[in-house]
Amino acid sequence: MDKKKLILLIGALVVAAVTALLAKNMFTGASAPQVEAKKVEVLGEEVLVASRALPVGTIITPDAFSFQPWPEDLVEEAYYEKEGTDIESLNGTVVRNAITAGQPLTKGAIVSPGDRGFLAAALGPGMRAVTIPVSGLTGVAGFVFPGDRIDLMLTQSVQGDGPDLKVSETVIRNVRVLATDNRVTQSKNEAGQTVAQKTKLVTLEATPKIAEKIAVAQTLGTLSLSLRSLADSTAELEEAIASGDIKLPKTDDPAEEAAMLKSLAARPNSKKSTYSTGGEVSRFEARTPPPLAKTEIPEGPKVRVARGNAVNEVQFGDK
């Protein structure tokens, strides 16, 4: 290699090494800039805002809303401002007009217990309210509260020619509880814990046809409540879809499909009925209904008809 080129190459390497060393010292010696957090002052009032979507008929619970800052020039008189709002008084109210997530609650969008139209607002579209009497034994010892979902069991004695058949049958499933007695909120003690109370009347949400069945069931025997798990409705809905009992409309919108599934899961059902007889509980009870006793039909009046020498008796009412 040419001597001149070798000297230039060595010089370039020396310059590169010196530059790298200077750069390293410069970055090492420089201290990181201190970022000072600034306090952001929120202008405006804090108003009550929906934490999630609240469809018509939703019973308001503490997790349904929260206070959030709102621009001062956009605050309206109908909003619930933090100052002067009693949160406890809003628990148990019902949504009259649909509220989207993040939208402020207005005084006209919800209705309070005792107000005119409260129960009608709590009902879903196409649903009816029906009230049944219960006791501590048939009402899950008072542990059924508004918003819970229950199954209705009918217990009766089937009479016939022989010993009566004792049978209990689940006649209606997945029914929403609207109110217990005249209460639409859960009773709580000073510690904020839910307190069970003896209930005499329970108001349920049902379709018109199921409301008719509940009215008839009350005359047949004793109605009892069976409290459902929160996961049961979804599991039964998936089973009904898989078996083809429920047909879902075709849609490409996931949000629309989720809304339809939620609506179907909230509908009461009277098709899937199960029962247990006394023979399944005790060997001394019957398992099948007794035969019906034969009743003799009383004979009606007879008419004697004479045609010449022939005399015939005709049963009144015979053809």
Side-chain angles (χ1 to χ4, degrees):
M1 180 182 287
D2 189 5
K3 187 176 181 182
K4 187 175 182 181
K5 290 182 179 180
L6 182 61
I7 293 173
L8 289 174
L9 180 60
I10 293 174
L13 292 174
V14 172
V15 172
V18 172
T19 303
L21 184 61
L22 291 175
K24 180 181 178 183
N25 292 336
M26 182 177 65
F27 284 111
T28 302
S31 60
Q34 299 292 328
V35 178
E36 199 171 315
K38 292 185 179 180
K39 217 182 240 186
V40 179
E41 187 176 350
V42 178
L43 299 177
E45 300 289 339
E46 290 191 41
V47 300
L48 206 59
V49 176
S51 304
R52 50 185 170 84
L54 304 175
V56 175
T58 302
I59 299 177
I60 296 294
T61 53
D63 61 339
F65 52 78
S66 61
F67 283 104
Q68 290 187 11
W70 207 254
E72 187 175 2
D73 54 344
L74 297 180
V75 176
E76 300 182 7
E77 293 183 1
Y79 292 171
Y80 289 94
E81 298 183 17
K82 189 171 185 179
E83 185 176 355
T85 300
D86 183 11
I87 296 296
E88 293 297 329
S89 65
L90 298 179
N91 291 335
T93 57
V94 171
V95 177
R96 175 186 292 168
N97 302 320
I99 304 173
T100 59
Q103 177 183 350
L105 271 70
T106 59
K107 297 176 181 178
I110 58 178
V111 57
S112 302
D115 292 349
R116 183 178 179 181
F118 169 78
L119 193 57
L123 289 170
M127 305 299 279
R128 304 291 185 267
V130 58
T131 300
I132 62 172
V134 295
S135 63
L137 181 62
T138 61
V140 199
F143 282 98
V144 172
F145 301 101
D148 289 341
R149 292 195 169 271
I150 56 97
D151 291 344
L152 272 179
M153 296 186 300
L154 171 64
T155 304
Q156 59 181 322
S157 295
V158 181
Q159 298 178 351
D161 189 10
D164 294 349
L165 175 67
K166 306 296 191 300
V167 59
S168 180
E169 181 182 8
T170 300
V171 291
I172 312 291
R173 296 177 180 273
N174 197 26
V175 185
R176 182 167 74 121
V177 177
L178 294 177
T180 55
D181 288 339
N182 292 329
R183 300 188 304 272
V184 294
T185 56
Q186 300 178 0
S187 301
K188 296 185 178 181
N189 56 19
E190 297 179 355
Q193 299 173 337
T194 302
V195 179
Q197 295 187 354
K198 291 183 179 179
T199 301
K200 295 181 179 179
L201 296 173
V202 174
T203 303
L204 307 173
E205 182 185 52
T207 63
K209 185 63 177 178
I210 290 180
E212 295 172 356
K213 292 183 178 181
I214 293 175
V216 174
Q218 295 183 61
T219 66
L220 298 178
T222 303
L223 285 178
S224 303
L225 309 183
S226 176
L227 187 62
R228 292 174 61 91
S229 167
L230 295 176
D232 285 353
S233 299
T234 303
E236 288 187 2
L237 176 62
E238 292 176 352
E239 181 182 346
I241 294 174
S243 63
D245 293 339
I246 294 179
K247 302 292 185 182
L248 289 178
K250 294 182 179 180
T251 177
D252 296 331
D253 188 359
E256 184 179 354
E257 183 178 353
M260 287 188 296
L261 290 173
K262 185 177 180 181
S263 176
L264 290 171
R267 304 286 290 186
N269 180 21
S270 61
K271 293 181 179 179
K272 188 178 180 180
S273 177
T274 58
Y275 67 91
S276 296
T277 62
E280 298 178 42
V281 179
S282 171
R283 69 181 68 182
F284 301 104
E285 293 289 337
R287 286 180 173 267
T288 58
L292 296 176
K294 295 181 180 180
T295 56
E296 295 183 359
I297 302 176
E299 294 183 356
K302 297 180 180 180
V303 178
R304 183 173 293 180
V305 180
R307 294 186 180 89
N309 294 329
V311 179
N312 297 322
E313 286 187 355
V314 180
Q315 180 82 32
F316 185 78
D318 284 355
K319 296 182 180 178

